Amino acid sequence: MTFRPLLACLAAAWLAGCEMLPQGASGPPSSSTTSKAAAAASGCHAVVPDFDNEACLLQDWLAYGLASQRGDRQWRDTMLTRLEGPGAERRLARAVVLGWGTEREWDRAAELYEADLSAAPVTLQPLLRYWLNELEGRRAMGDDLTSARDELAEHETQRAALEEENATLEKKLEALTAIERSINLRQQTE
């Protein structure tokens, strides 16, 4: 029995995807889909996100998180300067920027997330919690890497000490071998 016709049918169905479903199969657009479309039409994706526009809240913060991840050092420095000042919005926005900065900045980012996460709107908290957890994961990996580097340096120091000891023992062995040869030569000549 050959499976080629069956595989061809499955491949065709897979390639056709949703187009093979009846038009009404997907159902009416949900209210979240409608609000997302309205948010996109209303000009979401502010350069600096805030808590004010509920319709754009997630879209703005997601766009900002992606910009922070993709931004270079100059962009981060500019944003951090722009975000100076009080307020949970600004501190959380700084946390996002710092979270994609250097390892030295990660500790500060985690502190800001933990301090102000509860001040964020409830709909935004899961995203911010996810970013904090992701940051904590990177911090843990960084700590593991630092420990591994320290351990490697310690092993390297031990290896160098053993090589030095080995070289000293080789010199002693050569000296003992020379003494033994000398003794053997004396015994042969006597």
Side-chain angles (χ1 to χ4, degrees), residues 51-121:
F51 299 157
D52 298 336
N53 188 349
E54 183 69 29
C56 292
L57 191 65
L58 286 175
Q59 292 82 4
D60 283 352
W61 281 88
L62 279 170
Y64 183 70
L66 287 172
S68 296
Q69 184 178 5
R70 295 175 182 155
D72 59 7
R73 171 67 11 215
Q74 181 181 359
W75 183 89
R76 283 187 193 86
D77 290 343
T78 301
M79 289 310 293
L80 288 171
T81 301
R82 232 174 146 175
L83 293 167
E84 289 177 357
E89 293 171 341
R90 289 181 175 276
R91 286 189 299 272
L92 286 169
R94 280 196 305 268
V96 173
V97 172
L98 292 169
W100 292 106
T102 63
E103 285 185 47
R104 284 180 261 122
E105 295 172 324
W106 293 353
D107 291 334
R108 180 68 182 136
E111 290 171 10
L112 291 170
Y113 274 125
E114 289 169 359
D116 291 308
L117 187 79
S118 61

Side-chain angles (χ1 to χ4, degrees), residues 137-182:
R138 281 188 283 132
R139 287 174 69 197
M141 285 191 296
D143 291 344
D144 290 347
L145 183 59
T146 300
S147 296
R149 284 182 187 147
D150 292 345
E151 191 174 317
L152 182 62
E154 183 179 322
H155 287 306
E156 186 62 30
T157 302
Q158 289 174 352
R159 186 189 64 76
L162 289 173
E163 282 181 357
E164 188 177 311
E165 183 182 348
N166 190 34
T168 303
L169 290 173
E170 283 179 2
K171 287 180 184 177
K172 287 180 181 180
L173 182 60
E174 287 174 11
L176 288 173
T177 303
I179 292 170
E180 185 180 4
R181 278 189 205 136
S182 174

